[in-house]
Amino acid sequence: MTEEEFDAFYTAAFPRLVGQLYAFTGDHGEAQDVVQEAFVRAWDRRTSFDAAQAPEAWIRTVATRLAVSRFRRARRWLELVRADTPREQVPGPGPEHVALVAALRELPPAQRLAVVLHHVCDLSVEQIAAETGAPAGTVKARLARGRAALARHLSPEEAETMTGTKEATHAP
Amino acid sequence: MPHDPTGPAAPGEGADRLTNALREVAEQGRRPAPGPGAAVRRRAVLRRRTRRAGLVSAGLVVAGAAVLTATTLLDGAKRPAPPAATATTTAPAPPPSPDGDTAVDDIRIDLSTLELRAGGRTFPVSAPGMNQPFRGDAVTRVTERLRHARFSVSPTGEIESHDWVLAFGRPEREPHYLYGAGTATDVPGRRPSTLSVIGLRTADARWLYEHTPVGTRITITGTGT
């Protein structure tokens, strides 16, 4: 990839990738930081980046790994500082999606990533498996569990609306 | 009909709604690039240069440590050269062993038999025949190595030059000397001397000089007559 091609790719893909990483992290600043860092690493390691069949997937993979790493470090730090850490209020883009973003953040990173890659990035199970390095069966399981977990966190109406699942405990 | 959550894509409206909701979240989370791609490339280039400079520095440190270690090891294996040919030159360091023999660490002089033993070798010596400077057993140490020295050993006061000289004795007293007697034919033997000197044949004196470091113990036994 030439310098001009890289610059054009960066300008076009950055906003889209930040949106995807925002869905993953629930934090605007975090999403921009990890995507920017991923682009820097892409140019720093051009050999590996150029060899990738899907440059955008390469960036997204690096960015999500950075986000997971930072999340783990932050969580460990918070656990050290305070025993009972109040959950952060995620500043969602709009009140109608605050609950969804908050519910997403409750998911384990692997499930959250599978859900975002499938529903936001429109990747198939096989593509998600290739991007994450997990077997296809594992990806399917993560998607299923992710959706089920979202259903538990959301209100019954929201859960039914968004995930298509209905709480079994609800009396008819 | 209950929904099958194990499918990769939840069928029907639910999946579409979740997808739409998540895509709206992602759409609202988009942000423009903070700057041009050139800035990203510059940052990557700077990072690479910093990393390479760090590797070079680390390599120099490692190389320097290796050189220092090798130098220290080599210095420890070296032996200092013999002192220059002056009457007052002192060589405190152990002398080199040109023939590969180990340094002498003990000298025993028997004035009764006129023999000197050192380094597994026995040399004939000449001892002073007057004044009997050595009385009884004496244990002392080599205090100085002189490649060449001038002193008077003759009762007439005549100054003589001698090579391969080892001075020994106690600091508070006049030193004694082992020296090469030159062409003197009285080794072994006794010769008149006003000093406490013990003469060896030149070759023997040279060997002893080259193999005896300062501090070597000297034990003198026997009588001088």
Side-chain angles (χ1 to χ4, degrees):
Chain A
M1 187 178 283
T2 64
E3 292 182 355
E4 291 74 21
E5 290 171 342
F6 179 84
D7 293 353
F9 168 66
Y10 171 73
T11 302
F14 185 91
R16 183 166 56 248
L17 288 166
V18 168
Q20 294 168 3
L21 267 292
Y22 169 72
F24 180 65
T25 64
D27 186 292
H28 287 291
E30 185 78 3
Q32 293 178 76
D33 285 347
V34 296
V35 170
Q36 182 76 354
E37 174 62 22
F39 272 102
V40 173
R41 293 190 182 193
W43 191 250
D44 185 24
R45 302 166 191 177
R46 283 195 298 283
T47 306
S48 170
F49 180 61
D50 286 344
Q53 294 181 349
E56 192 161 324
W58 194 99
I59 299 287
R60 183 171 49 238
T61 300
V62 172
T64 52
R65 288 176 181 170
L66 284 170
V68 170
S69 175
R70 287 172 147 187
F71 169 74
R72 286 172 180 162
R73 281 203 299 269
R75 185 176 61 186
R76 280 198 293 272
W77 183 82
L78 289 173
E79 287 171 352
L80 287 172
V81 172
R82 287 203 309 215
D84 296 323
T85 304
R87 301 200 180 281
E88 293 181 30
Q89 292 299 321
V90 179
E96 65 277 12
H97 295 305
V98 168
L100 178 58
V101 172
L104 270 171
R105 286 174 64 88
E106 294 297 320
L107 296 181
Q111 292 178 17
R112 195 188 327 154
L113 183 59
V115 168
V116 169
L117 289 177
H118 182 70
H119 292 282
V120 177
C121 305
D122 203 25
L123 299 186
S124 66
V125 170
E126 290 70 27
Q127 289 172 321
I128 296 173
E131 191 163 314
T132 61
T138 302
V139 173
K140 290 181 183 178
R142 287 173 179 172
L143 278 171
R145 292 178 190 139
R147 291 193 202 102
L150 284 176
R152 286 194 296 274
H153 285 296
L154 298 172
S155 66
E157 294 74 19
E158 287 172 318
E160 184 179 356
T161 300
M162 291 188 182
T163 66
T165 59
K166 192 168 186 178
E167 284 291 334
T169 56
H170 281 222
Chain B
M1 172 178 269
H3 160 65
D4 180 7
T6 61
E13 267 182 64
D16 292 338
R17 285 176 184 157
L18 178 59
T19 298
N20 292 337
L22 288 172
R23 288 182 179 177
E24 284 179 16
V25 168
E27 187 64 29
Q28 292 173 3
R30 290 165 68 109
R31 293 290 185 274
V40 174
R41 289 187 284 106
R42 278 195 298 272
R43 190 171 156 191
V45 169
L46 181 62
R47 181 179 296 183
R48 180 177 292 186
R49 286 177 185 166
T50 304
R51 187 169 59 238
R52 286 179 176 172
L55 288 174
V56 169
S57 299
L60 288 174
V61 169
V62 171
V67 168
L68 185 63
T69 303
T71 304
T72 303
L73 290 174
L74 287 173
D75 284 346
K78 286 181 181 175
R79 291 288 178 268
T86 62
T88 58
T89 301
T90 301
S97 303
D99 53 2
D101 292 348
T102 57
V104 170
D105 58 0
D106 186 63
I107 298 175
R108 292 183 176 272
I109 303 173
D110 188 343
L111 295 179
S112 299
T113 61
L114 295 177
E115 290 180 338
L116 182 150
R117 293 190 180 85
R121 301 188 180 195
T122 302
F123 306 106
V125 299
S126 65
M130 57 188 293
N131 299 333
Q132 297 186 6
F134 303 110
R135 293 183 175 80
D137 293 346
V139 179
T140 183
R141 291 192 181 272
V142 174
T143 57
E144 204 172 358
R145 296 171 66 250
L146 303 170
R147 171 62 181 85
H148 184 83
R150 290 166 57 86
F151 45 78
S152 172
V153 300
S154 169
T156 63
E158 182 181 1
I159 301 299
E160 296 176 0
S161 295
H162 295 280
D163 295 327
W164 317 114
V165 179
L166 293 177
F168 64 96
R170 294 194 177 88
E172 65 275 14
R173 298 186 179 179
E174 289 291 324
H176 308 309
Y177 296 98
L178 285 167
Y179 71 103
T183 58
T185 58
D186 54 350
V187 178
R190 301 192 189 279
R191 57 173 297 188
S193 172
T194 58
L195 292 178
S196 307
V197 292
I198 297 175
L200 290 92
R201 295 172 182 165
T202 301
D204 297 340
R206 179 174 182 173
W207 186 94
L208 192 65
Y209 171 89
E210 291 177 342
H211 292 81
T212 304
V214 171
T216 300
R217 186 176 63 183
I218 298 179
T219 304
I220 301 174
T221 59
T223 58
T225 56

